[in-house]
Each structure stands twice: as structure tokens, then as C-alpha cells.
Amino acid sequence: MHRFGGKIQKRASQGQRGPNKSLVFGMERTMGSKTDGYDQPVGGLEVALRLQEKTWFPRALRALHEEGVPFLLAGAFGLVHYTGFWRGTKDLDALILPEHREIAIEAVTSIGMRDMFEREPYDREWIFRTERDDVIVDLIWRLANKADDVDRSWFERASSGEFMGIPVQFVSAADLCWMKLFVFQLRRCDWPDIINVIRGTRGSLDWDHLLHQVGPHWRLLCALVNIYDWLCPNERHFIPDHFRDSLEDLRREDTDAADSESRHVLFDSRPWLAEAGAGYTDICPVSLTMA
């Protein structure tokens, strides 16, 4: 077991608010928590990683550890934890609490990771991106569309595991699905990842929590269930009846106003949705005939 120290603990001893002990990486949680029932370590992953990833990923995690910053692994490493399916990645996603943002940034940059902003600008309201030797470590405290922030309950739901010999916690299966639900873009869609989480866990995730998190965006879950049922008819039971009933109740009570504005920015803030009626009419003013 790794020893804990670092600035957050020192500041807490001086009367400033530090992290809940149950959140801290590598420690046994001191409070009971409901996980998704899938507490298995990642196995054999090191073989798939490049040498520089084997170097910088654990360095970054240990840097967070040394500063006492609690974190959860998500992204491709969260996916392989719950599915056993490795799709490859050049980055590591570490979820942190918003109040730990500055000290987490200080921790990873102090070991030589460099801010990516000058080379590739990004939105710093939800993420801080660092790189070194073609290896990327992302610190994330909010969903990209600002629909939700990471909070302490995410750590209470986390799943324990191991990453490259380091004891870690993975974001819960339900929260991983929540993070990926809005990644539905022209050049990227994470819904296949959600489907694989459902299959990989045999549906053993906190469905009630997922429905609560999604809130007014429940229609996305309806669409996901329909796609899943079409794709995997023999495993419809992985999505429980009580969850399906809850969605049906919401459908019957539908309160969406007919004049509600488009929600396209929740998928992608960049222009991607055509204006209503902006397509071709019966008379096409532009010839598409190739010379």
C-alpha cells in the first residue's frame, strides 16, 4: 500500500479543507459505498502500451498520489476495466474534483508534462491537457458540455482495481455511461462504448442512478435502449424491466414543449446541425454534375 502525504493533507491539517479519506487513491475507503459490483483489476494491459506510456502514465498517477489528489480512471482504461475490450489510446483520463484542479495541474506539470494549449487549444473550463513524448494525460473535472461536475459521490460509487501495479479506483460503470452519453458527434460517437459496458458487466450497473443523472435528457436513454435491443436481442435482460418501466412512464408523462430549442450544443458546440429547411428544394440552384 502506498503511503500518503502531500500538500492537500498538509493544508487540511492547517485548517483548510482537504479530501475525504474515502476518496484517496490507494487507500481503503473508510465509508461504505455502493459500487457497480465489478471490482476486478485490469490484467495484461501493459503488453498493449508503448514504452513511453509505461513511463509517463504511472509517473503522472504517482505525482497526483504524492500531492494527495484523489482521482478516478476513466476513458479507455475505464472501458477495458468493465469490458475487457481494449481499443487503444494515447491518453489517460484522470477525473478529479473541481476544487483540486490547481494542485493536480501543478502535480503533473512538475514531473515534466507540458500543457497542450499552445499547440492545440482546448476548453479549459472542463479539462487540463498535458503531453510528453507523444503521451497525453488529461485532468477532467466536468463533462465537456458542462452538464455535470465530478463530485465526491463519484468516488463513493467507484470501483477498485489496479493499473500497472498501482492500486487505483475506476469511475463507476454508471458514471462512465453518463460521461459518454453526450459524445455523439460527426467524427466521434461513444455509444458503442456504452453498449460494451452494458454487455461487459452483464447489466450490473446502477440504473437508478444513471436515470437520475440524465434527468431531462432521458430520451437519450430511450434511444440507447432501442439500439441495444436491436443489436443484442438475446441479452435484453441486461437492461432491467424496472428501468424500462421508468422510461415508459416518462414517455407517457412527456412534458417537452413543442417549441423547445434545439439541444445540439449538448452534443457538440461546433457547428454541425443543418438549419431547418436549408436543404435542396424542388429546384436545385447548384449543379452537382461533374465535368
Side-chain angles (χ1 to χ4, degrees), residues 64 69-72 74 93-106 108 115 122-130 137-152 154-155 178-179:
L64 293 173
V69 178
F71 63 85
L72 303 172
D93 292 345
L95 307 186
I96 60 173
L97 295 171
E99 59 264 35
H100 296 158
R101 174 174 55 188
E102 296 304 323
I103 193 168
I105 291 171
E106 179 184 336
V108 297
D115 184 4
Y122 59 89
D123 183 358
R124 284 175 164 169
E125 290 187 10
W126 68 279
I127 190 173
F128 189 84
R129 310 204 72 196
T130 65
V137 174
D138 291 333
L139 303 174
I140 299 171
W141 54 89
R142 180 174 293 149
L143 298 194
N145 63 3
K146 321 299 194 306
D148 195 15
D149 286 359
V150 176
D151 62 33
R152 291 174 178 261
W154 289 50
F155 291 81
W178 168 228
M179 293 181 69

Side-chain angles (χ1 to χ4, degrees), residues 9-30:
Q9 282 74 17
K10 291 176 183 177
R11 291 173 183 171
S13 68
Q14 295 168 0
Q16 298 182 28
R17 186 177 181 183
N20 184 323
K21 290 179 86 174
S22 67
L23 307 184
V24 177
F25 148 82
M27 280 183 97
E28 288 188 16
R29 286 171 284 169
T30 56

Side-chain angles (χ1 to χ4, degrees), residues 53-66:
E53 291 166 343
K54 296 177 184 179
T55 299
W56 288 106
F57 285 161
R59 280 186 186 177
L61 298 186
R62 289 193 174 100
L64 293 173
H65 158 65
E66 289 299 323

